[in-house]
Amino acid sequence: MKFIQTVALIGASLDAALALPPSTLRRQACTSPKLRKEWSQATRAEQSSYIQAALCLATKPSRLGLSSTLYDDFARVHDILFNQIHSVAAFLPWHRYFVQVYEEALQECGYTGNAMYWDWVADSEAPASAAVWDPITGFGGNGNTTSTVWGTNCVLDGPFTGLRPVYWNNAAMPHCLLRSFTPGSPEDGVPEMLGANYSPTVMASINLETTFEGFRHNIENFPHGAVHQGVGGFVGDMGPQTSSPNDPMFFLHHTQVDRLWWLWQQQDPQTRTFAYGGLREDGSSASLDDILPMAGFAPQSTVREYMDIGSAGLCYTY
Ligand SMILES: [Cu+2]
């Protein structure tokens, strides 16, 4: 309730500043934000609908005019834009936009819910046992670990075993969905999948960052990077690959990154909702008016439009 009031206040003052007529104000307000759930909090029907829609993307034509499918477009776009959207200020708003584009594509494939997230902070002590890896109610688990040769670490169970993502980084190299969970060492109390890098303690210290740039840098480099590496290793799709959206877990991962950014913003919404800064790819200073590129896959947008999840254009909450 407090959240809705805050949103209404911000909306009112913005509209006053822009001198919009009251009718426009009413039409543009975000009055009932869509709730994005943690995977394990969703109903069985919601989980199943989400997974069916993710598989459906692989039956739809490319929106980029490629011979690969709509499913592969996400990996392709992420690869093409990689240097413009990582290790720069736009990392957070760009991935917020990318998750929204995916959510809308799922909805076009019959899914009626919203984007969902995997709360890897809550699961950091035993990430490999998380609900998201369940073969029946989730995304299937680890890949085959009997070999380290590329292309052999196929996911062995769950709904995605028949998937054939086309791209590996920027090359067309069709393959099975590949995962290679980083092993832990239980005898030393070291969790698998680099879980120590995204524990509640680590997140609490990142949340002490007071600037957008400090928060962006730390969340991108530590928890975000560790989850990619922990799930994919060096030979899996989620590893440090520019084609990491090949793994449907990419989107649950990035929805969680988005949620953590929002939680950071919510610590001081007046100051932080539009707090932005740091560098662009060319080293110049980033601005709220910067363009978020989408390589022709979705309309270009601006950073400013992706700062406030309670805005009329986004209108969701966690
Ligand atoms: Cu990315």
Side-chain angles (χ1 to χ4, degrees):
M1 202 55 213
K2 185 161 168 280
F3 172 71
I4 293 170
Q5 281 166 358
T6 311
V7 167
L9 277 174
I10 292 171
S13 56
L14 258 182
D15 282 305
L18 296 167
L20 292 175
S23 60
T24 314
L25 193 159
R26 238 172 282 125
R27 231 182 309 129
Q28 289 190 345
C30 164
T31 46
S32 47
K34 293 161 283 178
L35 180 66
R36 291 184 171 182
K37 297 179 184 175
E38 210 279 337
W39 184 258
S40 62
Q41 303 298 308
T43 65
R44 181 72 198 97
E46 287 167 335
Q47 291 169 336
S48 160
S49 166
Y50 184 105
I51 286 168
Q52 289 314 309
L55 287 166
C56 160
L57 300 177
T59 69
K60 299 287 177 196
S62 164
R63 249 187 244 163
L64 300 167
L66 301 168
S67 58
S68 46
T69 70
L70 176 58
Y71 189 97
D72 298 301
D73 283 351
F74 288 90
R76 192 75 200 103
V77 167
H78 187 260
D79 169 71
I80 292 169
L81 298 172
F82 196 81
N83 292 332
Q84 295 175 60
I85 56 173
H86 296 96
S87 308
V88 293
F91 171 75
L92 290 170
W94 189 88
H95 285 81
R96 176 170 279 176
Y97 185 16
F98 198 50
V99 166
Q100 185 196 33
V101 174
Y102 187 77
E103 180 182 47
E104 287 172 3
L106 291 182
Q107 289 163 347
E108 283 165 27
C109 259
Y111 175 56
T112 52
N114 309 313
M116 290 203 243
Y117 62 95
W118 170 31
D119 185 355
W120 29 252
V121 176
D123 289 333
S124 64
E125 281 186 36
S129 310
V132 290
W133 308 118
D134 189 280
I136 308 293
T137 61
F139 295 78
N142 199 3
N144 184 349
T145 54
T146 57
S147 159
T148 54
V149 175
W150 182 82
T152 62
N153 297 73
C154 300
V155 169
L156 296 169
D157 58 7
F160 295 95
T161 51
L163 194 72
R164 297 285 295 171
V166 167
Y167 299 101
W168 178 258
N169 295 320
N170 59 4
M173 293 168 68
H175 56 282
C176 58
L177 179 58
L178 300 166
R179 288 190 192 130
S180 175
F181 291 0
T182 305
S185 104
E187 57 285 3
D188 302 322
V190 177
E192 70 267 3
M193 293 168 83
L194 309 176
N197 294 280
Y198 42 93
S199 66
T201 313
V202 167
M203 242 356 269
S205 96
I206 295 177
N207 274 327
L208 296 176
E209 291 290 335
T210 55
T211 65
F212 174 88
E213 171 57 4
F215 180 79
R216 192 282 305 161
H217 178 273
N218 285 340
I219 197 163
E220 179 175 5
N221 287 290
F222 305 113
H224 159 261
V227 173
H228 272 287
Q229 180 73 34
V231 174
F234 291 100
V235 290
D237 283 298
M238 266 286 271
Q241 318 306 335
T242 58
S243 51
S244 49
N246 278 337
D247 192 326
M249 193 51 56
F250 175 98
F251 295 95
L252 277 83
H253 173 38
H254 271 282
T255 306
Q256 161 79 343
V257 171
D258 190 64
R259 170 177 167 266
L260 294 171
W261 176 26
W262 174 74
L263 287 170
W264 180 84
Q265 291 179 311
Q266 286 305 105
Q267 289 177 48
D268 183 0
Q270 277 197 311
T271 311
R272 294 189 182 173
T273 301
F274 288 92
Y276 188 63
L279 300 179
R280 302 183 182 125
E281 187 195 0
D282 67 3
S284 58
S285 292
S287 137
L288 284 170
D289 296 315
D290 288 348
I291 297 288
L292 294 174
M294 269 299 156
F297 186 50
Q300 286 186 352
S301 189
T302 61
V303 169
R304 192 185 303 279
E305 290 172 273
Y306 282 84
M307 296 300 290
D308 178 8
I309 69 171
S311 66
L314 297 181
C315 200
Y316 63 83
T317 190
Y318 291 102

